Amino acid sequence: MTSSDKPDHVSESPEAPTARTGIAAQDWATAAADPQYRAAVVDLLGALAYGELAAFERLAEDAKLAPTLADKAELAKMASAEFHHFERLRDRLTEIGAEPTEAMDPFVAALDGFHRQTAPSDWLEGLVKAYVGDSIASDFYREVAARLDSDTRELVLAVLDDTGHAGFAVEKVRAAIDADPRLGGRLALWARRLMGEALSQSQRVVADRDALSTMLVGGVADGFDLAEVGRMFSRITEAHTKRMSALGLAA
């Protein structure tokens, strides 16, 4: 998961509320007094940390497929940024008294499974995966961040900052389609497959972790209710459509 790819033209979701209430208005020291909320945050940071570590590894692998030395160097720079994000999350887990490896471990099988099922066959598919597929997870985490305590929210949004992959992917994919319009159909099908797999993977991760799922459906103060969960996935789908348009692909 390259959880830091957010294109400039896709607005951050959800919109920041004018006045935060409940946990969203608290700092970590206050919010963490609720053991269920603390467990949910450890899960969230663990999932994000492993996602960033996997993104680092995948960008390094994608660099092997890069057609030019300049492209290899650009991906290496992005990989370095992803590893820095991982280090911040790992250090935060340690700071709040969680063991980073233990926090990440529950998410390894699901994330590795997703990446095995969506292994790109070439350079362009790898770019589309990082830009479209992984950005769906990034949108999901931004939605969750709006309900987090102020300290955790700041960290989560910081590690979701774009490393440059969004603009790089759009430039390279659009140029390739302009040179060979036949690529558009294949890459559009690939992106639609990524959409389905990414949403399924996100839902599985939440369903398997009681603290996270309870927070999302409202068991923790200021969490989502079931109707809001539906609206959340509608917003994620809308953002996906915008990204497809940026690539010049049909959603």
Side-chain angles (χ1 to χ4, degrees):
M1 167 183 63
T2 307
S3 58
S4 54
D5 294 331
K6 178 171 73 68
D8 294 338
H9 63 280
V10 176
S11 61
E12 185 176 296
S13 59
E15 295 181 359
T18 54
R20 300 188 186 277
T21 59
I23 286 177
Q26 299 173 7
D27 61 11
W28 168 253
T30 304
D34 181 341
Q36 189 176 54
Y37 176 75
R38 184 187 182 282
V41 169
V42 170
D43 274 351
L44 181 66
L45 297 184
L48 272 170
Y50 187 68
E52 294 292 347
L53 185 59
F56 161 74
E57 293 176 326
R58 228 182 56 249
L59 283 170
E61 285 296 312
D62 288 350
K64 298 177 182 178
L65 301 172
T68 70
L69 187 58
D71 291 335
K72 286 180 183 291
E74 189 66 23
L75 286 183
K77 177 182 176 183
M78 295 173 194
S80 176
E82 299 292 0
F83 192 76
H84 178 61
H85 289 164
F86 161 74
E87 290 180 313
R88 291 190 64 181
L89 291 159
R90 178 200 62 195
D91 292 348
R92 179 58 176 167
L93 283 163
T94 299
E95 184 181 344
I96 65 175
E99 205 290 311
T101 302
E102 291 180 1
M104 290 188 288
D105 189 64
F107 307 100
V108 172
L111 289 169
D112 284 358
F114 168 73
H115 290 309
R116 280 195 303 271
Q117 293 166 9
T118 58
S121 62
D122 59 23
W123 161 250
L124 291 174
E125 286 191 1
L127 290 178
V128 170
K129 178 179 177 180
Y131 177 64
V132 174
D134 295 354
S135 293
I136 295 168
S138 182
D139 288 340
F140 171 76
Y141 289 124
R142 285 191 184 90
E143 292 276 357
V144 175
R147 272 70 180 178
L148 298 173
D149 67 271
S150 58
D151 297 313
T152 304
R153 180 171 62 249
E154 181 180 359
L155 172 61
V156 169
L157 293 178
V159 300
L160 294 176
D161 278 348
D162 182 20
T163 59
H165 211 144
F168 181 78
V170 169
E171 176 188 352
K172 297 297 181 180
V173 172
R174 289 193 74 107
I177 293 173
D178 287 344
D180 183 1
R182 294 174 300 177
L183 289 171
R186 173 170 70 87
L187 293 177
L189 287 173
W190 170 243
R192 285 194 285 273
R193 177 187 168 193
L194 290 168
M195 173 68 171
E197 292 286 352
L199 285 178
S200 295
Q201 186 262 344
S202 296
Q203 291 165 346
R204 283 196 302 270
V205 166
V206 172
D208 288 345
R209 305 300 295 173
D210 289 343
L212 270 180
S213 59
T214 300
M215 181 172 70
L216 284 174
V217 299
V220 172
D222 245 28
F224 292 110
D225 59 24
L226 288 174
E228 178 58 21
V229 171
R231 290 190 290 271
M232 175 186 73
F233 281 107
S234 293
R235 290 191 293 269
I236 291 172
T237 301
E238 181 181 355
H240 167 74
T241 300
K242 292 179 180 179
R243 288 190 179 94
M244 292 284 281
S245 177
L247 289 172
L249 300 176

